[in-house]
Amino acid sequence: MRQTDYVILGLLSESPLTGYQIKKLIDIRFRFFWSESYGQIFPALKSLCTGGLIEETENADEKKRSRKTYRITPSGLVNLQQWLKLPVERESVRLEILLKMYFSHLTEKAVMLDHVLKFQEAHRQDLQILTLFENELKKIVDAGDNHPQVLRVIDFGQRVNEAYLDWCRETILFLESGSNNETKNS
Amino acid sequence: MRQTDYVILGLLSESPLTGYQIKKLIDIRFRFFWSESYGQIFPALKSLCTGGLIEETENADEKKRSRKTYRITPSGLVNLQQWLKLPVERESVRLEILLKMYFSHLTEKAVMLDHVLKFQEAHRQDLQILTLFENELKKIVDAGDNHPQVLRVIDFGQRVNEAYLDWCRETILFLESGSNNETKNS
DNA sequence: CGGCGCATGTAACTTGTTACATGATTCC
DNA sequence: GGAATCATGTAACAAGTTACATGCGCCG
């Protein structure tokens, strides 16, 4: 069982979905802390089916062979719950922009400024999407569900993205001040 | 050229190093935003050598076949500088703890509390290491170098880790309050 | 009927980790 | 001499991406 399997089990624990929908959900809801490609999702769906942790819903309309909808099985739910209890292992973060920042005395400040501006723009968007999602959740009052937990996840995203943006502001000041060019061997 | 190649070029642009030292530097200085394993570093060193971007320093002591020290070549430096100008592509973050938080209504709050406490402890340490590194840098006054840029990287780490810790505090409150057990099918 | 978006799937490839083997050096 | 740590290296595996092939269904 890979991590991909558990993401899928988790999403299917909320409602039945197709592989395509799973991908879309991950891209939107989990965008700031997770990602999966089709190349992982579809094989995972197949193997989860084989293992009996999920199953295809039988559509009334039998002829539609495309658009397979999957749902979690009782045994899948048990598996998911067991995984939740396991200690969190992997935590991987790879930010190329910091690598470039670290070595950026070897190039012009304008180059780095450009990178930071793009980074800033990307994370402004992340923050916006996050806030949209938060408002949507808060409108739906039939709590009972996993809303409080999801709000904790959104809060994480907001804090981190705000930290990113604060850093961008200060770093932009740094890069705009001083000499415009810091190249060593110019 | 993979990202690993550029990390190595960057580190060698500061001073000659052995593969082992490169690994250690990445583990300490880059710990909060990068990682590499020996399985990537040693093959990369070999291929960079073949490509003429780095070279072994000839030790006065010829007999030592172990402990090879590498240095960057002029062509390697040019390569590194070109890479710095290229747009930042990959930015990957994978935080399993948020995945578990998202689905944590399916288990006891105590379970999630445990995960968060471990996460908190790990990032307290990160913050400490970061501050240590910062003080060390500030003591060495022969700036001129890349110190301002490195301080920007450290600042990033501090902000993000502080955001993590703020989130932990609030999340711990959330998990300690309310019912001790939120399992759906208990 | 042509194009677009929805949807599934896979093969080839790249990237990254782990476990292991090996040997040198240092310090007690 | 024995233990710890420094140090290099690789093979097998696991994980993840990309590019591509395919076909359905709807709208104009």
Side-chain angles (χ1 to χ4, degrees):
Chain A
M1 296 281 287
R2 342 175 197 308
Q3 289 181 307
T4 305
D5 294 323
Y6 293 112
V7 188
I8 293 175
L9 283 181
L11 288 172
L12 292 183
S13 82
E14 296 180 346
S15 67
L17 296 165
T18 69
Y20 189 80
Q21 290 173 320
I22 288 170
K23 165 80 169 141
K24 289 287 152 282
L25 277 176
I26 293 170
D27 285 351
I28 295 167
R29 291 213 216 150
F30 296 172
R31 72 190 334 273
F32 71 92
F33 70 90
W34 205 264
S35 69
E36 295 290 350
S37 60
Y38 289 122
Q40 279 178 273
I41 291 171
F42 285 106
L45 283 171
K46 194 183 262 185
S47 90
L48 284 167
C49 252
T50 310
L53 304 186
I54 64 171
E55 58 190 12
E56 274 182 55
T57 64
E58 295 107 34
N59 283 324
D61 207 349
E62 197 64 28
K63 70 191 169 199
K64 289 185 188 176
R65 263 157 23 285
S66 64
R67 205 179 151 75
K68 295 180 196 167
T69 303
Y70 297 91
R71 73 168 152 241
I72 197 166
T73 64
S75 127
L77 188 60
V78 168
N79 240 273
L80 176 61
Q81 287 173 321
Q82 282 170 344
W83 171 73
L84 286 170
K85 296 184 195 213
L86 260 40
V88 176
E89 345 96 32
R90 260 161 290 184
E91 177 191 324
S92 88
V93 175
R94 277 192 152 207
L95 299 173
E96 195 191 298
I97 194 171
L98 292 184
L99 223 45
K100 287 195 169 159
M101 186 79 224
Y102 197 100
F103 299 121
S104 65
H105 63 292
L106 297 172
T107 192
E108 299 86 36
K109 279 192 167 184
V111 167
M112 201 59 225
L113 185 57
D114 218 57
H115 296 333
V116 175
L117 288 170
K118 262 182 206 137
F119 182 80
Q120 187 183 41
E121 186 46 34
H123 289 283
R124 271 192 188 137
Q125 278 192 0
D126 275 9
L127 199 52
Q128 220 180 317
I129 291 173
L130 234 26
T131 303
L132 235 71
F133 188 24
E134 187 195 4
N135 291 334
E136 230 171 273
L137 258 190
K138 282 185 172 167
K139 258 188 284 180
I140 309 165
V141 202
D142 70 340
D145 257 277
N146 60 348
H147 286 196
Q149 285 79 6
V150 173
L151 284 173
R152 290 281 77 228
V153 174
I154 292 172
D155 180 54
F156 187 102
Q158 288 172 332
R159 285 171 192 272
V160 170
N161 275 286
E162 274 158 16
Y164 285 179
L165 294 180
D166 289 346
W167 177 83
C168 285
R169 273 187 285 278
E170 275 219 16
T171 303
I172 289 166
L173 284 181
F174 163 74
L175 291 170
E176 282 174 341
S177 77
S179 66
N180 289 329
N181 184 318
E182 286 246 340
T183 308
K184 269 275 173 82
N185 49 347
S186 58
Chain B
M1 295 281 287
R2 344 176 195 308
Q3 289 182 307
T4 305
D5 294 323
Y6 294 113
V7 188
I8 293 175
L9 283 181
L11 288 172
L12 292 184
S13 82
E14 295 180 345
S15 67
L17 295 165
T18 69
Y20 188 80
Q21 289 173 320
I22 289 169
K23 165 79 170 142
K24 289 286 151 283
L25 278 176
I26 293 170
D27 284 351
I28 294 168
R29 302 227 284 239
F30 296 171
R31 72 187 336 269
F32 71 94
F33 69 89
W34 205 264
S35 68
E36 296 290 351
S37 60
Y38 288 122
Q40 280 178 274
I41 290 171
F42 284 106
L45 283 170
K46 195 184 259 185
S47 90
L48 285 168
C49 252
T50 311
L53 304 186
I54 64 171
E55 57 190 13
E56 275 182 52
T57 63
E58 297 106 33
N59 282 323
D61 209 347
E62 199 62 24
K63 71 193 171 198
K64 290 185 187 176
R65 261 155 29 282
S66 66
R67 205 180 152 72
K68 296 181 197 169
T69 303
Y70 297 91
R71 72 169 153 240
I72 197 166
T73 65
S75 128
L77 188 59
V78 169
N79 240 273
L80 176 61
Q81 286 173 322
Q82 282 170 346
W83 171 73
L84 286 170
K85 296 185 195 212
L86 259 42
V88 176
E89 343 98 33
R90 261 160 290 185
E91 177 191 323
S92 86
V93 174
R94 277 192 152 209
L95 298 175
E96 195 191 298
I97 194 171
L98 293 184
L99 224 45
K100 288 196 169 160
M101 187 77 225
Y102 196 99
F103 300 120
S104 65
H105 63 292
L106 297 172
T107 191
E108 299 86 35
K109 280 192 167 183
V111 167
M112 200 60 223
L113 184 57
D114 218 57
H115 297 333
V116 175
L117 287 171
K118 263 183 204 137
F119 183 79
Q120 186 183 41
E121 185 46 34
H123 289 284
R124 270 191 188 140
Q125 277 192 0
D126 275 10
L127 199 52
Q128 217 180 321
I129 291 173
L130 234 25
T131 304
L132 235 70
F133 189 24
E134 187 195 6
N135 291 335
E136 231 171 89
L137 258 190
K138 283 186 172 165
K139 257 187 282 178
I140 309 166
V141 201
D142 70 341
D145 258 277
N146 60 349
H147 285 196
Q149 284 79 6
V150 174
L151 284 173
R152 289 280 80 226
V153 174
I154 292 172
D155 180 54
F156 186 102
Q158 288 173 333
R159 285 171 193 273
V160 170
N161 275 287
E162 273 158 15
Y164 285 178
L165 294 180
D166 289 347
W167 176 83
C168 285
R169 272 186 287 279
E170 275 220 16
T171 303
I172 289 167
L173 284 180
F174 163 74
L175 291 170
E176 282 174 342
S177 78
S179 68
N180 290 329
N181 186 321
E182 287 248 340
T183 308
K184 272 268 172 92
N185 49 349
S186 58

